[in-house]
Amino acid sequence: MAPLEGKKVAILATDGVERRELQEPRDAVQAAGASTEVVSLQEGSIDMRDNDLSPGGTEPVERLVADITPADFDALLIPGGTVNADKLRTDDKAVKFVRDFVESGKPVGVICHGPWTLIDAGIAKGRTLTSYPSLRIDLQNAGATVVDREVVIDGNLITSRGPDDLPAFSSAVVEALAGGA
C-alpha cells in the first residue's frame, strides 16, 4: 500500500498560480497514494503562469473554498505565483480556510509567494518561515522569523522559497503527511 493511500490533499489556488508549484507537489503526493482536489475562489478553471509572466495553461477547479472545511482534507498545499497569492490573501473565505487549516494541526505546505496568505490569516507571528525573497520583509513585519533555506518546517507549517526548491518541498510535504504531522 502507498504511504499516503486514503489521504486527501486540498490545493488552494486561483488565477495567476505558478504552474510548477501547483503541479509538482500534486504529482508527488499523488505518486505516494494521496488524492488531490484543486480548490479555488470561482468555478471553472484557473489560469496558470510560468515564471509569473508567461501563460502556463489552465487547471480545472474541483471545489470552491466557500464549500469546504479543513475536516474534508488531511493536508493543504498553497502554491505561489504573485497574482495567485495576492488574490487569495484578499479573499475572506480563503483566508479563513487557511487560518482554520493551520489551527487544525494538519500539514500545510506553502511555497514562494504563498506565505502572504499566512500573514493575512494572522498566523505568521512567532513562526519560523521562508519564502520568495521579496516577501521576507512582509513576513518579518508580521512577526515571523525568516530564514533562507530550501525548506523550513515549523510545527505543521512547511514553507519553501520557490520553484528551484520544489523537489525538497514536495518531499517534505509527503513525509509530513505520511507521518501524520
Side-chain angles (χ1 to χ4, degrees):
M1 185 164 117
L4 302 185
E5 193 72 35
K7 303 280 185 175
K8 287 182 66 175
V9 179
I11 303 170
L12 180 59
T14 192
D15 290 327
V17 66
E18 184 69 27
R19 180 187 56 79
R20 287 182 56 209
E21 293 173 4
L22 185 151
Q23 292 177 341
E24 290 181 30
R26 175 185 61 196
D27 293 349
V29 298
Q30 287 178 344
S35 64
T36 61
E37 291 188 15
V38 174
V39 175
S40 193
L41 311 178
Q42 74 281 339
E43 294 178 332
S45 63
I46 55 176
D47 293 320
M48 297 185 292
R49 308 300 287 173
D50 286 325
N51 299 318
D52 245 357
L53 302 171
S54 305
T58 61
E59 184 70 34
V61 171
E62 294 162 291
R63 297 192 55 192
L64 298 179
V65 72
D67 298 337
I68 61 172
T69 70
D72 298 328
F73 299 94
D74 299 294
L76 171 63
L77 292 173
I78 306 173
T82 309
V83 172
N84 171 65
D86 198 49
K87 287 182 179 186
L88 291 177
R89 74 186 300 200
T90 59
D91 184 274
D92 292 340
K93 290 178 179 115
V95 169
K96 180 182 182 332
F97 179 70
V98 169
R99 180 183 317 111
D100 292 347
F101 213 103
V102 171
E103 290 175 352
S104 79
K106 298 174 187 176
V108 178
V110 190
I111 189 167
C112 200
H113 286 79
W116 263 342
T117 309
L118 301 178
I119 293 170
D120 285 75
I123 52 177
K125 186 176 183 176
R127 303 302 286 261
T128 299
L129 307 169
T130 195
S131 70
Y132 193 76
S134 64
L135 272 68
R136 293 182 186 156
I137 193 71
D138 295 339
L139 288 167
Q140 288 171 345
N141 288 340
T145 299
V146 180
V147 295
D148 184 13
R149 291 196 301 253
E150 66 181 357
V151 175
V152 174
I153 299 173
D154 182 335
N156 63 323
L157 279 178
I158 304 155
T159 55
S160 200
R161 299 175 298 198
D164 291 344
D165 299 328
L166 278 164
F169 175 71
S170 298
S171 177
V173 168
V174 168
E175 285 179 32
L177 189 51

